[in-house]
Amino acid sequence: MQDLDRLRAEALQAAANADSLDALENLRVSTLGKKGSITGLMKTLGQMDPEARKAAGQALNAVKDEVAALLDARKAELEEKALDARLASERVDVSLPVRPETTGRIHPISQVMDEMIAIFGQMGFEVAEGPDIEDDFHNFTALNFPPEHPARQMHDTFFLPEKEDGSRLLLRTHTSPVQVRSMLKSKPPIRIIAPGRTYRCDSDMTHTPMFHQIEGLVIDKATHMGHLKGCLIEFVRTFFEVDDVPVRFRPSFFPFTEPSAEVDIGCSRAGGELKIGAGADWLEILGCGMVHPNVLRHCGIDPDEYQGFAFGMGIERVAMLKYGIPDLRTFFDSDLRWLKHYGFLPIDVPSLTGGLTR
Ligand code: DAH
């Protein structure tokens, strides 16, 4: 069995030299596999006479076991080496400095909208949307504006060029048309808020031609003024993060609500600094009321069966009050220094549980 001695020496040498798991596997196949060299020798045993077969068989088995054991040992060794290499390459250097703070900021308008969505979302309101370019029906007529109402005049509304049929599209002057669209689209009960852009032909210290509002609408069978008051008082206290801020509902007029009210919150201006909370002064922050029966009729809802309340609020205005931003026009100057000062970190997503503002 000279062959066997040679094969044994070669196999043991090759196993010791194998430098990868693949090479080792190839070696196993070429020695102990079905067509391997040692397996080949096993097959020759059949042709030997019994005495010789016994001796050769024992010798062959011993070599086979020896080679198999060495292959296993080498395999374990190579696997450990591979693991060590991987651990070394994936090592985390905990001494690296932290990443510098992100430079991007969330604009106060987006922040305030997110805060409002968090608060009203918790109360069960869904976010609704409508187009910035509206028609007369959704922006005015369905909302019970009489034909000669001043808001329809050129000086308030941006109209688009007249169409062939004489009608003119316009840039929505408030978010209230989203009420109309929501009522036309879905059956009551309805509970939506609609934050978005609005446009009026107006520009001075306290007005910009584009600004933002949020609209709210609740329609159900037994909705009444008490629900309106409870909802808005809860909102105001959560939003301004002042538990006992005084809230006042003052009678007012809007074509689309009856009765209508404006909401004021208490504040003090002692020492020239505006502070939200109990004090000698009041600040108007929003308009609201019970949806006018004519509006419900325009939207295909029977006012004898359903009623509801609505409200509308200027986002810039409450953002200025909450975050002490003195000048409205700076919101739209795209001044990065302003944004760095008044903006919010992107990771601080407002939520009622995690905190509205951090
Ligand atoms: N649309 C009104 C505005 O632009 C705001 C408003 C007031 C909306 C009362 C309402 C409401 O839904 O009920 O000034």
Coordinates of all heavy atoms in Angstrom, one line a residue, residues 47-90:
Q47 N -11.2 -6.6 -4.6 CA -10.5 -7.5 -5.4 C -9.4 -8.3 -4.6 O -8.7 -9.2 -5.2 CB -9.8 -6.8 -6.6 CG -10.8 -6.1 -7.5 CD -10.4 -4.7 -7.9 OE1 -9.3 -4.4 -7.8 NE2 -11.4 -3.9 -8.3
M48 N -9.2 -7.9 -3.4 CA -8.1 -8.6 -2.6 C -8.6 -9.9 -2.0 O -9.8 -10.1 -1.8 CB -7.6 -7.7 -1.5 CG -7.1 -6.4 -2.0 SD -6.5 -5.4 -0.6 CE -6.1 -3.9 -1.5
D49 N -7.6 -10.8 -1.6 CA -8.0 -12.0 -0.9 C -8.3 -11.6 0.5 O -7.8 -10.5 1.0 CB -7.0 -13.1 -1.0 CG -5.6 -12.6 -0.5 OD1 -5.5 -12.4 0.7 OD2 -4.7 -12.5 -1.3
P50 N -9.0 -12.4 1.3 CA -9.5 -12.0 2.6 C -8.4 -11.5 3.6 O -8.6 -10.5 4.3 CB -10.2 -13.2 3.1 CG -10.5 -14.0 1.9 CD -9.5 -13.7 0.9
E51 N -7.3 -12.2 3.6 CA -6.3 -11.8 4.6 C -5.8 -10.4 4.3 O -5.8 -9.5 5.2 CB -5.1 -12.7 4.5 CG -5.1 -14.0 5.3 CD -5.4 -13.6 6.8 OE1 -4.5 -13.0 7.4 OE2 -6.5 -14.0 7.3
A52 N -5.4 -10.2 3.0 CA -4.8 -8.9 2.6 C -5.9 -7.8 2.8 O -5.6 -6.7 3.2 CB -4.4 -9.0 1.1
R53 N -7.2 -8.2 2.5 CA -8.2 -7.2 2.6 C -8.4 -6.6 4.0 O -8.6 -5.5 4.2 CB -9.5 -7.8 2.1 CG -10.7 -6.8 2.1 CD -12.0 -7.4 1.9 NE -12.0 -8.3 0.7 CZ -12.9 -9.3 0.6 NH1 -13.7 -9.6 1.5 NH2 -12.8 -10.1 -0.5
K54 N -8.2 -7.6 4.9 CA -8.4 -7.2 6.3 C -7.4 -6.1 6.8 O -7.7 -5.1 7.3 CB -8.3 -8.4 7.2 CG -8.8 -8.2 8.6 CD -8.8 -9.5 9.4 CE -9.0 -9.1 10.9 NZ -8.5 -10.2 11.8
A55 N -6.1 -6.5 6.4 CA -5.0 -5.6 6.8 C -5.1 -4.2 6.1 O -5.1 -3.2 6.7 CB -3.7 -6.2 6.5
A56 N -5.4 -4.3 4.8 CA -5.5 -3.1 4.0 C -6.7 -2.3 4.4 O -6.6 -1.0 4.5 CB -5.6 -3.4 2.5
G57 N -7.8 -3.0 4.7 CA -9.0 -2.2 5.2 C -8.7 -1.5 6.5 O -9.1 -0.3 6.6
Q58 N -8.0 -2.1 7.4 CA -7.8 -1.4 8.7 C -6.9 -0.2 8.5 O -7.1 0.9 9.0 CB -7.1 -2.4 9.6 CG -8.1 -3.3 10.4 CD -7.4 -4.3 11.3 OE1 -6.1 -4.4 11.3 NE2 -8.1 -5.1 12.0
A59 N -5.9 -0.4 7.6 CA -4.9 0.7 7.4 C -5.7 1.9 6.7 O -5.5 3.0 7.0 CB -3.8 0.2 6.5
L60 N -6.5 1.5 5.7 CA -7.2 2.5 5.0 C -8.2 3.3 5.9 O -8.2 4.6 5.9 CB -8.1 1.9 3.9 CG -7.7 2.2 2.5 CD1 -8.4 1.3 1.5 CD2 -8.0 3.6 2.1
N61 N -8.9 2.6 6.7 CA -9.8 3.2 7.7 C -9.1 4.2 8.6 O -9.6 5.3 8.9 CB -10.6 2.2 8.5 CG -11.9 1.8 7.7 OD1 -12.5 2.7 7.0 ND2 -12.3 0.6 7.9
A62 N -7.9 3.7 9.0 CA -7.1 4.6 10.0 C -6.8 5.9 9.3 O -6.9 7.0 9.8 CB -5.9 3.8 10.4
V63 N -6.3 5.8 8.0 CA -5.9 7.0 7.3 C -7.1 7.9 7.0 O -7.1 9.1 7.2 CB -5.2 6.6 5.9 CG1 -5.1 7.8 5.0 CG2 -3.9 5.9 6.2
K64 N -8.2 7.2 6.7 CA -9.5 8.0 6.4 C -9.8 8.8 7.7 O -10.1 10.0 7.6 CB -10.6 7.0 6.0 CG -11.8 7.7 5.4 CD -12.8 6.6 5.1 CE -14.2 7.1 5.6 NZ -15.1 6.1 5.7
D65 N -9.8 8.1 8.8 CA -10.2 8.8 10.1 C -9.2 9.9 10.4 O -9.6 11.0 10.8 CB -10.2 7.8 11.2 CG -11.4 6.8 11.1 OD1 -12.3 7.1 10.3 OD2 -11.4 5.8 11.8
E66 N -7.9 9.6 10.1 CA -6.9 10.6 10.4 C -7.1 11.9 9.6 O -7.1 13.0 10.1 CB -5.5 10.0 10.2 CG -4.4 10.9 10.8 CD -3.0 10.3 10.4 OE1 -3.0 9.3 9.7 OE2 -2.0 10.9 10.8
V67 N -7.3 11.6 8.3 CA -7.5 12.8 7.3 C -8.8 13.5 7.7 O -8.8 14.8 7.8 CB -7.6 12.3 5.9 CG1 -8.0 13.4 4.9 CG2 -6.2 11.7 5.5
A68 N -9.9 12.8 8.0 CA -11.1 13.5 8.3 C -11.0 14.3 9.6 O -11.4 15.5 9.7 CB -12.2 12.4 8.6
A69 N -10.2 13.8 10.6 CA -10.0 14.5 11.8 C -9.2 15.8 11.6 O -9.6 16.9 12.1 CB -9.3 13.6 12.9
L70 N -8.2 15.7 10.7 CA -7.4 16.8 10.5 C -8.2 17.9 9.7 O -8.1 19.1 10.0 CB -6.2 16.5 9.7 CG -5.2 17.6 9.6 CD1 -4.6 18.0 10.9 CD2 -4.0 17.3 8.6
L71 N -9.0 17.4 8.7 CA -9.9 18.4 8.0 C -10.8 19.1 9.0 O -11.0 20.3 8.9 CB -10.7 17.6 6.9 CG -10.0 17.2 5.7 CD1 -10.9 16.3 4.8 CD2 -9.5 18.4 4.9
D72 N -11.4 18.4 9.9 CA -12.3 19.0 10.9 C -11.6 20.0 11.7 O -12.1 21.2 12.0 CB -12.9 18.0 11.8 CG -14.1 17.2 11.1 OD1 -14.5 17.7 10.0 OD2 -14.5 16.2 11.6
A73 N -10.4 19.7 12.2 CA -9.7 20.6 13.1 C -9.3 21.8 12.3 O -9.4 23.0 12.8 CB -8.4 19.8 13.6
R74 N -8.8 21.6 11.1 CA -8.4 22.8 10.3 C -9.6 23.7 9.9 O -9.5 24.9 9.9 CB -7.8 22.3 8.9 CG -7.2 23.3 8.1 CD -6.0 23.9 8.6 NE -5.5 25.0 7.8 CZ -5.0 26.2 8.3 NH1 -4.9 26.3 9.6 NH2 -4.6 27.1 7.4
K75 N -10.8 23.0 9.8 CA -12.0 23.8 9.5 C -12.3 24.7 10.7 O -12.6 25.9 10.5 CB -13.1 22.8 9.2 CG -14.4 23.5 8.7 CD -15.4 22.6 8.2 CE -16.7 23.3 7.8 NZ -17.9 22.6 8.0
A76 N -12.3 24.1 11.9 CA -12.6 24.9 13.1 C -11.6 26.1 13.2 O -12.0 27.2 13.5 CB -12.5 24.0 14.3
E77 N -10.4 25.8 12.9 CA -9.3 26.8 13.0 C -9.6 28.0 12.0 O -9.6 29.2 12.4 CB -8.0 26.2 12.6 CG -6.8 26.6 13.3 CD -5.6 25.8 12.8 OE1 -5.6 24.6 13.1 OE2 -4.7 26.4 12.2
L78 N -9.9 27.6 10.8 CA -10.2 28.6 9.7 C -11.5 29.4 10.1 O -11.5 30.7 9.9 CB -10.3 28.0 8.3 CG -9.0 27.5 7.7 CD1 -9.3 26.8 6.4 CD2 -8.1 28.7 7.4
E79 N -12.5 28.7 10.6 CA -13.7 29.4 11.0 C -13.4 30.5 12.1 O -14.0 31.6 12.0 CB -14.8 28.5 11.4 CG -15.5 27.9 10.2 CD -16.5 26.7 10.6 OE1 -16.5 26.3 11.7 OE2 -17.2 26.3 9.7
E80 N -12.7 30.1 13.0 CA -12.3 31.0 14.1 C -11.6 32.2 13.6 O -11.8 33.4 14.0 CB -11.5 30.3 15.2 CG -11.6 31.0 16.5 CD -10.8 30.2 17.6 OE1 -11.0 29.0 17.7 OE2 -10.0 30.9 18.2
K81 N -10.7 31.9 12.6 CA -9.9 33.0 12.1 C -10.8 34.0 11.3 O -10.7 35.2 11.4 CB -8.8 32.5 11.1 CG -7.4 32.6 11.6 CD -6.4 31.9 10.7 CE -5.9 32.8 9.6 NZ -4.9 32.1 8.8
A82 N -11.8 33.4 10.6 CA -12.7 34.3 9.8 C -13.5 35.1 10.7 O -13.7 36.3 10.5 CB -13.6 33.4 9.0
L83 N -14.0 34.5 11.9 CA -14.8 35.3 12.8 C -13.9 36.4 13.5 O -14.4 37.6 13.6 CB -15.3 34.3 13.9 CG -16.2 35.0 15.0 CD1 -17.4 35.5 14.4 CD2 -16.5 34.0 16.1
D84 N -12.7 36.1 13.8 CA -11.8 37.1 14.4 C -11.6 38.3 13.4 O -11.7 39.5 13.8 CB -10.4 36.6 14.7 CG -10.5 35.7 15.9 OD1 -11.5 35.8 16.6 OD2 -9.5 35.0 16.2
A85 N -11.5 38.0 12.1 CA -11.3 39.0 11.1 C -12.5 39.9 11.0 O -12.5 41.1 10.9 CB -11.0 38.4 9.7
R86 N -13.7 39.2 11.0 CA -14.9 40.0 10.9 C -15.1 40.9 12.1 O -15.5 42.0 12.0 CB -16.1 39.0 10.8 CG -17.3 39.6 10.3 CD -18.4 38.7 10.0 NE -19.6 39.3 10.3 CZ -20.7 38.7 10.7 NH1 -20.7 37.4 10.8 NH2 -21.8 39.3 11.0
L87 N -14.9 40.3 13.3 CA -15.0 41.2 14.5 C -14.1 42.4 14.5 O -14.5 43.5 14.9 CB -14.7 40.3 15.8 CG -15.8 39.3 16.1 CD1 -15.4 38.5 17.3 CD2 -17.1 40.0 16.4
A88 N -12.9 42.1 14.0 CA -11.9 43.3 13.9 C -12.4 44.3 12.9 O -12.3 45.5 13.2 CB -10.6 42.7 13.5
S89 N -13.0 43.9 11.8 CA -13.4 44.9 10.8 C -14.7 45.6 11.1 O -14.9 46.7 10.7 CB -13.5 44.2 9.4 OG -14.7 43.4 9.4
E90 N -15.5 44.9 12.0 CA -16.8 45.6 12.3 C -16.7 46.3 13.7 O -17.7 46.6 14.2 CB -17.9 44.5 12.3 CG -18.2 44.0 10.9 CD -19.3 43.0 10.9 OE1 -19.9 42.7 12.0 OE2 -19.6 42.4 9.8

